[in-house]
Amino acid sequence: MISVDNQARVPDAQMESSEARDRRYKQLFERLDIQHSGAISLSGFRKSVKDLDHPIKDSKDAVEEIFQSLDNHNLNAVDFDSFKEYLIRAETQIIKGFHNLDKDQDGIINQNDVKNYLEGLGVEANDKQVEQFFNRLDTKHDGVITYDEFRDTLLLMPRLSGSRVKTAYKFISSDLENVSSDGDFTVGEDILNSIGYFLAGGLSGKITSSVGELKHQKIPIDKIKSPILKAATSIYRQGGLRGFYVGNGLNVLKVFPESAMKFGSFEAAKRFMCTVEGVSDPTQLSKVSTFAAGGFGGVCAQMTVYPIDTLKYRLQCAKLDSDIRGNRLLWTTAKQMYKEGGLRIFYRGLYVGIIGMFPYAAIDLGTFSTLKKWYFQKEAVLQNCAPEDVKLPNYIVLSMGALSGTIGASMVYPVNLIRTRLQAQGTYAHPHRYNGFFDAARKTMVKEGVPGLFKGLLPNLAKVAPAVSISYLMYENLKDLFQLE
């Protein structure tokens, strides 16, 4: 006879009445049915396991494996009856697994029981990993695992390679590997997703690299004071159509790493901020953290390609009707710069660039993410579905990208203008020289007044709006193509 005090440790499903069992099933179902619709969708299931911080939350294959087991009628939705059928089947298998670990049949499992069982399955049981695994199962933190703790941890664990315990061990104990749907080890999805974000960002920038080079092309500031049409005419007279694309080769060279660092660092920073705020998903981040992550991504991108940017501006400020062109002009300009100031000259204005880039990227990426989140929530209410099930139309992406880029570029334009003048000082197109940011700002204000700080804003926005919107369009579609979200 087992005392009532020890009933919690009895590995026997019959100790629980069918009414109590059904209540437990219903409570778990309601936790997973985040839309309270009476049915669990795959996207809703993915989000709920993240919210529950389940060990399989970051494995797309494992989540889909469990969902397919739940959806035994292939309806792409799981109602309570199907959910209950799965739990009854799963618990029958789980109680057998508990008996296999509990060799002395005392109703509890200790750490040695776990290690011996894993070694019997042929798993290389590292002591530290076994301890980590054991502590995850020991939810009451009393040094032993009871049946209810064992059951609750394994209920939503896929039975890969014929063992839920083995699957759970590999998910919980491994930081760098996950289990595939075949039960094999693969490179962790977090790592693959991180690479995917950088690749998607780089490709999205590459596609938009040739949009609107006119705004970068510098006309001799002291010699040509004219509206955009006259400036374009002057460029054409000096260099023909090729004059509009001076420096575009360097632009194409720099745009892949720049966009890759911008978007990749942004996504990495959001995941870091999730740990700081204690949330499981970037969509749950506060606006402050989202904007800060955007600023960080912009700074990383700026620092990555700044020397190339400076060289590009110098090329664009060269005399267009000169006999030196192409690669020869590139190498000549680079040598002259190095002779003038060594490597430091390539980083002239870097601090100013960072000061301008952080708020620009924060506003750009932050605004886009905020608008995207708002759209998902609004459409989820209208369509009566989960936000994860809402599709983002391409025209909405283009509109949001153009708006976020325009706001960001306009707000920091004066800082970027001064940075560009620092980079271009002493050239044919801009012969003035400055003793730093404040000197450049002062001389600009004295000579051109406050409007001088916004000179060229219109052609800048004419480039930024389409370029940024196309960049976001490609990035969002590439994320879908690479199945990153």
Side-chain angles (χ1 to χ4, degrees):
M1 179 76 65
I2 298 175
S3 67
V4 175
D5 292 339
N6 200 35
Q7 285 185 6
R9 292 183 174 182
V10 176
D12 192 347
Q14 277 70 42
M15 293 300 301
E16 183 181 37
S17 67
S18 59
E19 292 81 6
R21 183 199 64 187
D22 287 349
R23 283 196 300 271
R24 177 167 55 84
Y25 288 173
K26 193 68 175 178
Q27 288 174 354
L28 179 57
F29 180 83
E30 290 174 351
R31 292 180 70 186
L32 296 173
D33 180 19
I34 57 177
Q35 291 298 308
H36 308 295
S37 62
I40 304 170
S41 64
L42 176 57
S43 60
F45 184 65
R46 285 198 189 103
K47 188 175 189 307
S48 61
V49 294
K50 279 185 176 292
D51 292 342
L52 293 172
D53 195 29
H54 196 278
I56 67 170
K57 65 182 184 298
D58 294 320
S59 173
K60 177 175 175 289
D61 290 333
V63 171
E64 291 182 355
E65 181 88 11
I66 281 291
F67 187 80
Q68 289 172 7
S69 298
L70 292 168
D71 184 23
N72 52 7
H73 299 298
N74 297 317
L75 300 175
N76 295 320
V78 180
D79 59 16
F80 178 70
D81 290 336
S82 298
F83 186 72
K84 181 179 176 180
E85 289 176 18
Y86 164 81
L87 292 183
I88 293 173
R89 291 196 312 270
E91 288 193 13
T92 301
Q93 299 164 349
I94 289 171
I95 197 169
K96 290 179 181 178
F98 188 88
H99 281 300
N100 290 335
L101 272 79
D102 182 22
K103 294 297 184 182
D104 55 9
Q105 301 300 306
D106 62 353
I108 59 174
I109 297 172
N110 58 42
Q111 192 165 318
N112 284 332
D113 292 333
V114 173
K115 183 175 182 180
N116 292 334
Y117 180 76
L118 291 171
E119 288 178 345
L121 293 175
V123 178
E124 294 183 6
N126 177 281
D127 287 342
K128 185 176 180 180
Q129 292 175 328
V130 170
E131 180 181 3
Q132 182 183 13
F133 176 57
F134 181 86
N135 291 336
R136 184 65 181 263
L137 269 65
D138 179 20
T139 56
K140 298 175 183 175
H141 308 295
D142 56 3
V144 293
I145 300 171
T146 58
Y147 172 68
D148 56 343
E149 292 173 307
F150 185 78
R151 175 201 62 209
D152 293 345
T153 304
L154 299 183
L155 267 179
L156 297 179
M157 190 65 65
R159 197 165 178 254
L160 307 181
S161 300
S163 173
R164 282 187 174 84
V165 176
K166 185 176 180 180
T167 303
Y169 172 75
K170 289 180 178 179
F171 272 112
I172 293 172
S173 65
S174 177
D175 292 328
L176 298 178
E177 295 176 314
N178 279 328
V179 183
S180 72
S181 58
D182 296 323
D184 298 324
F185 277 129
T186 61
V187 177
E189 290 192 18
D190 278 348
I191 296 175
L192 289 177
N193 283 354
S194 296
I195 296 172
Y197 284 124
F198 280 91
L199 182 59
L203 290 173
S204 66
K206 200 75 172 175
I207 293 169
T208 59
S209 61
S210 295
V211 178
E213 275 302 301
L214 173 60
K215 84 97 181 172
H216 285 308
Q217 182 63 54
K218 306 299 175 185
I219 310 302
I221 294 173
D222 291 333
K223 301 179 181 180
I224 301 177
K225 296 179 180 179
S226 58
I228 297 174
L229 183 60
K230 190 174 180 181
T233 303
S234 177
I235 293 173
Y236 182 77
R237 286 178 178 175
Q238 292 186 55
L241 289 175
R242 293 180 61 182
F244 292 93
Y245 292 91
V246 172
N248 190 52
L250 280 177
N251 191 59
V252 172
L253 176 66
K254 72 141 188 164
V255 76
F256 184 93
E258 181 180 38
S259 294
M261 288 300 296
K262 172 185 173 183
F263 287 109
S265 300
F266 174 54
E267 299 293 346
K270 285 196 297 182
R271 290 196 295 274
F272 172 76
M273 296 306 294
C274 282
T275 63
V276 173
E277 293 194 358
V279 297
S280 59
D281 193 284
T283 59
Q284 300 171 338
L285 282 175
S286 66
K287 290 184 175 64
V288 173
S289 293
T290 302
F291 278 74
F296 176 78
V299 169
C300 289
Q302 182 88 334
M303 295 181 69
T304 301
V305 300
Y306 198 84
I308 300 177
D309 234 0
T310 302
L311 180 57
K312 185 188 79 169
Y313 284 131
R314 289 282 184 141
L315 285 175
Q316 292 175 329
C317 289
K319 193 174 182 180
L320 294 178
D321 55 3
S322 171
D323 294 333
I324 305 176
R325 295 183 180 182
N327 291 335
R328 185 182 171 193
L329 176 60
L330 171 67
W331 292 114
T332 300
T333 304
K335 289 177 182 178
Q336 289 176 346
M337 288 176 62
Y338 184 79
K339 185 177 180 181
E340 180 183 343
L343 290 176
R344 291 184 61 182
I345 196 172
F346 289 88
Y347 291 91
R348 180 179 284 169
L350 174 62
Y351 296 135
V352 180
I354 291 175
I355 292 172
M357 179 53 69
F358 185 91
Y360 166 70
I363 295 169
D364 175 24
L365 291 165
T367 300
F368 182 84
S369 297
T370 300
L371 289 172
K372 182 179 169 183
K373 182 178 178 180
W374 168 80
Y375 179 83
F376 282 150
Q377 292 175 341
K378 178 180 72 73
E379 288 299 310
V381 173
L382 294 176
Q383 299 176 25
N384 192 27
C385 64
E388 294 79 11
D389 294 330
V390 175
K391 300 297 181 183
L392 191 63
N394 287 335
Y395 75 91
I396 294 292
V397 177
L398 289 169
S399 301
M400 290 179 177
L403 178 61
S404 65
T406 298
I407 294 173
S410 299
M411 294 188 70
V412 302
Y413 188 79
V415 176
N416 286 336
L417 180 135
I418 299 301
R419 181 207 69 189
T420 303
R421 292 190 172 188
L422 287 171
Q423 290 176 303
Q425 63 180 302
T427 62
Y428 170 78
H430 193 75
H432 302 287
R433 291 191 176 273
Y434 309 103
N435 294 319
F437 173 79
F438 292 105
D439 183 50
R442 181 183 61 80
K443 288 181 178 178
T444 298
M445 290 282 289
V446 169
K447 186 175 182 179
E448 304 172 60
V450 174
L453 295 175
F454 293 90
K455 180 175 287 186
L457 175 60
L458 185 59
N460 180 68
L461 295 181
K463 175 205 172 181
V464 165
V468 173
S469 60
I470 293 172
S471 179
Y472 277 120
L473 175 68
M474 297 309 304
Y475 182 60
E476 292 296 320
N477 282 279
L478 287 169
K479 283 196 297 183
D480 287 340
L481 179 64
F482 296 159
Q483 297 183 341
L484 298 177
E485 294 184 351

